Amino acid sequence: MPPLRAAAWSLCLLIASGIVVCVALAFVRSTALTAVTVTALDAAQEPRDHALPLVRQTEALPDYEIVLRGRRLFEHRSLGVKPDRSAVDGLRWEAAPPVALAEVVAVDLRERDAILSDTLATAQPTVAAVQDGNYRFEFETGRSWEAGVESFFDTPIGKALTAGIMLAIVALVLLPFLGPL
């Protein structure tokens, strides 16, 4: 077999194996957070916007917000605010699109205010329910191909594999210019 043909086959094998490794590692990272449910264990300990009797009691209920903290320093994602609601019966936030579980460092429950929001509880996403202070967190997870691919290709090994595959493709395209195969 001529050396250039052997090099072409080697590059094709390298590209195919790189793609298989990328797909496998993206699948490993595809477990994603799809929803968070927070329940207040004691209604008396929930924060209130004001304590005036008979004055706008529905507006006195807290404005809850869930914030996902990511691996990077200022990487935060809010799942939204549930204004003027009690969490005694449980409040549920959907993560759309789902976020790879490997990317979430912590989940913060905040009481949203106009001036300064207070963090009431923090939990790390797990399979089992987590309790912090007066709040219980329940996490729903599922497989998300998009979240796994995005998470994998954001890692150093994902970037290195992408660069290697691209270099192999460029070498394969330039190979015929070196001589007949």
Side-chain angles (χ1 to χ4, degrees), residues 52-125:
L52 302 172
L54 304 174
V55 177
R56 296 184 178 179
Q57 288 302 301
T58 57
E59 292 179 15
L61 292 172
D63 303 332
Y64 287 114
E65 176 184 29
I66 288 289
V67 176
L68 305 179
R69 283 192 281 148
R71 291 183 300 140
R72 294 190 182 95
L73 183 59
F74 295 109
E75 184 180 30
H76 301 335
R77 178 178 169 197
S78 174
L79 296 185
V81 178
K82 306 269 186 188
D84 302 322
R85 289 199 180 155
S86 173
V88 172
D89 294 328
L91 295 175
R92 179 182 164 95
W93 283 266
E94 298 283 333
V99 180
L101 210 51
E103 299 295 319
V104 180
V105 172
V107 176
D108 292 337
L109 175 66
R110 295 183 182 172
E111 204 282 314
R112 179 72 174 231
D113 284 326
I115 298 172
L116 183 64
S117 296
D118 301 325
T119 300
L120 302 173
T122 300
Q124 292 181 333

Side-chain angles (χ1 to χ4, degrees), residues 24-45:
L25 291 176
F27 178 77
V28 168
R29 296 180 70 91
S30 68
T31 301
L33 182 66
T34 57
V36 178
T37 302
V38 176
T39 305
L41 303 175
D42 183 11
Q45 292 183 8

Side-chain angles (χ1 to χ4, degrees), residues 8-29:
W9 280 106
S10 297
L11 287 171
C12 288
L13 183 62
L14 179 69
I15 293 167
S17 62
I19 290 171
V20 167
V21 167
C22 287
V23 168
L25 291 176
F27 178 77
V28 168
R29 296 180 70 91

